[in-house]
Amino acid sequence: MKDISISSTGSNLTSWEMFINEYTQRLNKALDHSSISKIPLLCEELLSAWHNNRQVFICGNGGSAGNAIHIANDLLYGAGVKAGAGLRVEALSANMAVITCLANDLGYEDIYSEQLRVKARKKDMLIVLSGSGNSPNVVKALETGNALGMQTFAILGFSGGRCKELAQVPLHFPVDDMQIAEDMQLIIGHMCMQWLCNALCWE
């Protein structure tokens, strides 16, 4: 197959091999960040939620909304496939009827906070996924979660934004790359799922 250059100048200075290497280097740099050490805190809190029948809520926007649904699926089924039951988990981005209703009647900034206000209880968990950490709806979700006495986490990129300040446990990876930020969300979700799958069997 012919090597296709992605250089805008028409030269072959940037090959596919270089592009792939650069992407993996950016991902590896994020994986090497000190925030990776906070993953056990998230895993242990998820395990506690399983033991105590607490609800876990996950939310985000765009690709992060899709990742919230993906991770919720993994925690509901994949994490408990050996133990017989996974976690009580819900992606707040999954129900489009609810989202469009709340966005239309209350405003887009309330699509997650209003769901939490109705559904969440003290000691439940909230995991926010965000690149910038500044989207009003996830900021408001964390504010509501904290006010309700929830355990709040956030997986963030870029500067971390307001969510870095609001989350009780922010997992902040300062990468100025939305795709790497979203990659980190799924990688951490998969790490949690695999660890929980074994941990639930050890209990």
Side-chain angles (χ1 to χ4, degrees):
M1 180 177 177
K2 183 179 179 181
D3 181 34
I4 302 173
S5 172
I6 60 173
S7 171
S8 61
T9 64
S11 70
N12 198 36
L13 294 176
T14 306
S15 67
W16 279 111
E17 183 178 18
M18 289 175 63
F19 173 78
I20 291 168
N21 286 340
E22 288 170 2
Y23 191 98
T24 55
Q25 285 172 12
R26 295 197 302 276
L27 180 58
N28 286 332
K29 184 177 180 181
L31 287 166
D32 284 338
H33 192 268
S34 60
S35 284
I36 208 81
S37 66
K38 295 183 181 180
I39 292 176
L41 297 175
L42 177 56
C43 287
E44 292 288 353
E45 195 63 36
L46 288 167
L47 181 61
S48 175
W50 185 81
H51 277 303
N52 295 288
N53 200 33
R54 290 155 46 203
Q55 184 81 24
V56 180
F57 297 96
I58 314 176
C59 65
N61 291 290
S64 298
N67 285 347
I69 295 171
H70 183 133
I71 294 170
N73 172 70
D74 284 346
L75 296 179
L76 185 145
Y77 176 71
V81 69
K82 295 179 181 178
L87 284 76
R88 295 178 59 238
V89 57
E90 179 180 353
L92 297 175
S93 54
N95 191 326
M96 288 309 300
V98 169
I99 288 173
T100 54
C101 169
L102 296 177
N104 185 67
D105 289 7
L106 300 178
Y108 191 69
E109 67 275 13
D110 291 312
I111 62 171
Y112 297 138
S113 60
E114 182 65 11
Q115 291 188 67
L116 292 173
R117 188 183 71 82
V118 174
K119 299 176 182 181
R121 299 291 181 267
K122 186 175 182 179
K123 298 299 183 182
D124 283 347
M125 281 186 70
L126 172 63
I127 304 171
V128 161
L129 310 177
S130 180
S132 71
N134 283 319
S135 298
N137 57 7
V138 291
V139 168
K140 197 163 183 178
L142 281 169
E143 290 173 340
T144 300
N146 288 334
L148 290 171
M150 299 178 73
Q151 306 297 319
T152 59
F153 291 77
I155 304 174
L156 308 164
F158 294 85
S159 70
R162 283 280 292 137
C163 288
K164 182 181 177 182
E165 302 170 10
L166 289 168
Q168 294 163 15
V169 182
L171 285 78
H172 173 224
F173 301 89
V175 292
D176 294 334
D177 185 318
M178 185 60 73
Q179 284 65 56
I180 299 295
E182 290 173 352
D183 289 343
M184 292 304 298
Q185 296 166 7
L186 276 183
I187 289 170
I188 291 170
H190 287 157
M191 286 181 176
C192 290
M193 184 204 76
Q194 291 195 0
W195 183 83
L196 285 164
C197 188
N198 290 316
L200 297 182
C201 292
W202 299 332
E203 297 295 324

